Amino acid sequence: MIDIQNVTYHHGRSLILDDVSLRLKKGGITALVGPNGAGKSTLFALMARLLPLQSGSIRFDEMEVGKTGTQSLARKLAILRQEANVASRITVRDLVGFGRFPHHQGRASEADEAFVQKSLHEFDLASIADRFIDELSGGQRQRALVAMAFAQDTDYLLLDEPLNNLDMYFARSLMQQLRALADAYGKTIVIVLHEINYASGHADEIIALKQGRVALQAPPESFMTAENLFAIYGMDVQVETFGNRKIALHQV
Amino acid sequence: MPRETPPQRPWIRVTLTTSIVAILLCLILISLSIGVIETSLADLFSQAADGEGLLLLSRLPRTLATLLAGASLAVAGFILQTLVQNRFVEPATVGTADSAALGLIGVSIVLPDAGIFSKMLVGSLAAFVGALGFLALVKRLPRTQPLLVPLCGIFYGGVISSVATFLAYENDLMQYIGIWMNGEFSGVLQGRYELLWASGLIALAGYAYADKFTIAGLGRDTASGLGLNYSQTIHLGLAIVAMVTAFTVITVGMLPFVGLVVPNIVSRFVGDNSRKVLPLVALVGGTFVLGSDILGRVLRFPYEIPAGAIFGVIGTFVFLWLLLARPSRA
Ligand SMILES: Nc1ncnc2c1ncn2[C@@H]1O[C@H](COP(=O)(O)OP(=O)(O)O)[C@@H](O)[C@H]1O
Ligand SMILES: [Mg+2]
């Protein structure tokens, strides 16, 4: 369970997060949506102790962020940042291998190697495992970063716009992989999405953030209405039902 | 759909390492056999077996000093580049060496009778503070302009260097500045270079933290996400860089470009993963500096050109070539 209580955050004078309280149950996929600048990335950074909390508290099960050692947290949660611009000239295999660092602190066991191999296969990276990441396309690099977070093998996975740069084949397959991870291993995945239909199609719950406040938290069926989308994004969007899914026709 | 391509990198690394080791061995033999006093290698070794003579007193120390200085400076450059996340920095151009010199001048003025140990301590500390200052400065620069970082470092180093020069001038210590800032090995004798072993050992100790440096090089957020104590790692790396720099400055003098050129060349072929790359960086660093020293000894025989000057000239061209011939990236 992720328990966020009364988190308020200021950048200088401007208020970025305004008394955010959220409770996410363990296991499953939660999509975090909201307009640009709503504070999604800031909330993630606070959850992953990349920014210091100014007020309020965040807990992952029994671990309280800010009171738990950074190494223990690295075995509890993995984060993929939105602007993870890794400039080093290291191979995909090495990058994914560093995902195991929290577990072995530099001394990889055979089990660690095996897990890296599994991550490479899982994200279709085996064929480019020995390429340098600075020689990959944006989408390939993005998949390598997701694979690194996966290799960290944590209960909680925070992914900030992981679909950036992915073509529709890889975008959908990433969502399906996350679904499988949540279902098979009981992982708790929180994912920032801009494409609301991915949230509708793959998440168990959707949380909307707007101007630093929680605007709505609901399962996709009740979240996906024209009124809600208007309230969050300020635009008229037609919502249609196909089979058991609700799809927003926002591109047209 | 996935197309399996065989991994090629290990092959490159092994070939590169073997050829460099071969070249290095040749250079060591050459370095031992050339000098103003003519003697054959066989004579040198037979004298050395008796525990005396040119080999043990001067030729071997000189050869070892070049290797140690070259290897540890290259390693220091690599670590600094990794931690600053910029390929264009090195201790000589971003004020670390100047800070060490400033510290040494300071201690020479305040405590003229200080022993070598306290001098080293102050020199290293000053270099460390200088490196921290540079890092704090660089943090404010826009990440989209990587060339601003070395430029800023050159200004920063210039300011520190002029303070050091001013103090040295006022206190009649100018000759030291010249000695500290222009690396050369002609004065190396047994008993006068051994600090470089410490420098080499410190560089070696850096290898124990290779993974941590690589992870820190991925950026603060990624590193913290992996549970790395980021600022501790940065401080540790800078301490290594500072000590290597200060030890080199005081024993043989700074050798600019070694820490810049060598890591760039090596990284180009085998990448940035410190654990795999650091041994090769040390090897290439030692080889290049020894090569420069030999060139400096033979070009105007029996006079000598300082190794630092030779390396500076060659290094500049190699670096320009690297800069211009960089493969275009997607
Ligand atoms: N370093 C910063 N300094 C000042 N304001 C910032 C900084 N980083 C983010 N912000 C502001 O915080 C707000 C929330 O940003 P962010 O969390 O990145 O939003 P989102 O991820 O939802 O698009 C934005 O208005 C942004 O301008
Ligand atoms: Mg964001």
Side-chain angles (χ1 to χ4, degrees):
Chain A
M1 184 197 57
I2 305 178
D3 191 13
I4 300 174
Q5 279 180 12
N6 309 107
V7 168
T8 297
Y9 193 85
H10 290 84
H11 256 310
R13 282 230 195 86
S14 54
L15 181 64
I16 310 296
L17 292 175
D18 185 5
D19 197 25
V20 171
S21 294
L22 283 169
R23 191 174 274 247
L24 312 186
K25 69 169 175 53
K26 190 159 183 151
I29 299 180
T30 303
L32 187 58
V33 303
N36 293 136
K40 306 179 293 295
S41 296
T42 307
L43 182 60
F44 263 29
L46 291 168
M47 289 166 80
R49 47 76 176 94
L50 303 179
L51 282 177
L53 273 169
Q54 291 172 345
S55 68
S57 70
I58 298 176
R59 275 193 309 121
F60 291 82
D61 300 331
E62 73 294 345
M63 283 189 187
E64 182 157 358
V65 176
K67 300 202 172 129
T68 311
T70 183
Q71 266 185 38
S72 314
L73 272 178
R75 291 191 290 264
K76 189 76 172 175
L77 69 109
I79 181 167
L80 171 71
R81 294 280 277 157
Q82 183 178 353
E83 68 290 354
N85 40 7
V86 170
S88 307
R89 200 168 156 73
I90 61 179
T91 61
V92 172
R93 186 188 306 281
D94 290 344
L95 181 77
V96 175
F98 283 132
R100 300 301 300 165
F101 184 78
H103 300 277
H104 61 57
Q105 297 297 318
R107 254 165 261 197
S109 68
E110 299 226 331
D112 290 312
E113 300 291 349
F115 204 100
V116 171
Q117 203 59 35
K118 180 178 152 191
S119 314
L120 289 170
H121 277 287
E122 186 83 24
F123 292 92
D124 226 341
L125 295 165
S127 60
I128 54 169
D130 292 296
R131 297 255 305 269
F132 287 125
I133 51 173
D134 64 347
E135 292 169 356
L136 301 180
S137 79
Q140 292 171 322
R141 191 155 48 233
Q142 185 75 353
R143 277 190 286 136
L145 288 165
V146 175
M148 175 167 94
F150 172 77
Q152 225 172 311
D153 192 25
T154 50
D155 290 345
Y156 293 90
L157 208 51
L158 309 179
L159 305 172
D160 198 346
E161 303 192 25
L163 303 187
N164 282 356
N165 292 319
L166 297 189
D167 64 30
M168 66 188 183
Y169 171 86
F170 280 118
R172 186 176 70 176
S173 64
L174 177 60
M175 292 310 296
Q176 289 168 342
Q177 279 166 310
L178 295 178
R179 185 74 258 167
L181 282 179
D183 293 343
Y185 301 102
K187 303 236 179 219
T188 311
I189 299 167
V190 191
I191 178 170
V192 174
L193 293 172
H194 275 304
E195 171 52 77
I196 195 87
N197 292 327
Y198 282 116
S200 165
H202 299 272
D204 299 303
E205 194 169 52
I206 306 178
I207 294 173
L209 222 55
K210 186 178 182 184
Q211 291 177 345
R213 289 171 162 276
V214 178
L216 187 60
Q217 176 172 14
E221 306 82 69
S222 47
F223 188 98
M224 294 291 286
T225 66
E227 299 76 53
N228 285 340
L229 294 183
F230 184 82
I232 296 161
Y233 291 100
M235 63 191 270
D236 284 313
V237 178
Q238 201 179 332
V239 178
E240 293 292 335
T241 306
F242 292 97
N244 57 358
R245 291 219 171 79
K246 292 199 170 169
I247 301 292
L249 302 177
H250 57 79
Q251 288 96 340
V252 289
Chain B
M1 191 173 86
R3 187 169 42 90
E4 298 284 340
T5 47
Q8 306 159 358
R9 312 289 182 193
W11 178 80
I12 295 183
R13 191 144 48 95
V14 170
T15 321
L16 217 59
T17 312
T18 334
S19 8
I20 290 166
V21 168
I23 296 172
L24 181 59
L25 289 177
C26 297
L27 289 181
I28 289 176
L29 284 182
I30 296 173
S31 168
L32 292 178
S33 58
I34 55 172
V36 178
I37 303 173
E38 272 186 53
T39 155
S40 72
L41 268 180
D43 282 349
L44 276 175
F45 283 113
S46 66
Q47 282 172 359
D50 304 333
E52 57 183 36
L54 205 54
L55 182 71
L56 290 186
L57 188 67
S58 133
R59 298 254 173 106
L60 189 61
R62 178 171 191 158
T63 307
L64 286 173
T66 48
L67 291 178
L68 286 168
S72 51
L73 275 181
V75 166
F78 184 88
I79 293 176
L80 190 67
Q81 290 177 7
T82 305
L83 298 181
V84 179
Q85 293 181 259
N86 188 295
R87 277 260 149 253
F88 304 110
V89 298
E90 70 134 333
T93 55
V94 301
T96 317
D98 304 294
S99 306
L102 179 59
L104 291 172
I105 290 281
V107 75
S108 307
I109 295 170
V110 181
L111 298 166
D113 303 323
I116 186 81
F117 182 76
S118 13
K119 277 193 179 156
M120 282 322 308
L121 197 68
V122 176
S124 305
L125 266 178
F128 181 69
V129 173
L132 276 184
F134 172 64
L135 213 63
L137 205 64
V138 161
K139 249 191 236 160
R140 288 163 216 283
L141 296 176
R143 296 195 53 94
T144 44
Q145 301 282 334
L147 283 175
L148 273 184
V149 173
L151 218 58
C152 181
I154 289 168
F155 287 129
Y156 176 75
V159 171
I160 295 171
S161 148
S162 49
V163 175
T165 310
F166 173 76
L167 286 179
Y169 184 79
E170 290 286 297
N171 294 278
D172 246 349
L173 296 166
M174 275 308 279
Q175 76 275 22
Y176 286 107
I177 294 275
I179 295 170
W180 290 335
M181 284 306 153
N182 298 295
E184 55 113 10
F185 299 91
S186 63
V188 172
L189 291 173
Q190 194 180 21
R192 292 231 214 116
Y193 81 104
E194 280 74 1
L195 260 177
L196 284 175
W197 280 107
S199 175
L201 282 178
I202 290 162
L204 194 65
Y207 192 62
Y209 302 92
D211 278 346
K212 295 194 172 180
F213 294 149
T214 314
I215 291 175
L218 300 177
R220 176 189 274 274
D221 283 354
T222 309
S224 307
L226 292 172
L228 184 78
N229 188 331
Y230 182 76
S231 45
Q232 196 186 59
T233 307
I234 295 279
H235 290 157
L236 191 103
L238 289 189
I240 291 174
V241 172
M243 283 191 279
V244 166
T245 307
F247 285 29
T248 313
V249 163
I250 202 169
T251 42
V252 292
M254 197 56 196
L255 295 156
F257 283 107
V258 178
L260 186 69
V261 172
V262 176
N264 270 286
I265 295 179
V266 176
S267 159
R268 203 182 157 87
F269 291 104
V270 293
D272 285 344
N273 189 344
S274 313
R275 184 193 280 271
K276 296 176 181 171
V277 177
L278 273 177
L280 199 54
V281 166
L283 198 60
V284 175
T287 309
F288 277 23
V289 172
L290 182 57
S292 309
D293 187 52
I294 292 175
L295 259 186
R297 278 193 268 170
V298 297
L299 275 183
R300 290 183 59 216
F301 191 85
Y303 304 103
E304 288 201 13
I305 307 171
I310 299 272
F311 197 97
V313 173
I314 300 176
T316 316
F317 283 108
V318 175
F319 192 65
L320 274 179
W321 169 70
L322 278 173
L323 208 59
L324 299 175
R326 242 181 144 70
S328 58
R329 298 217 180 122

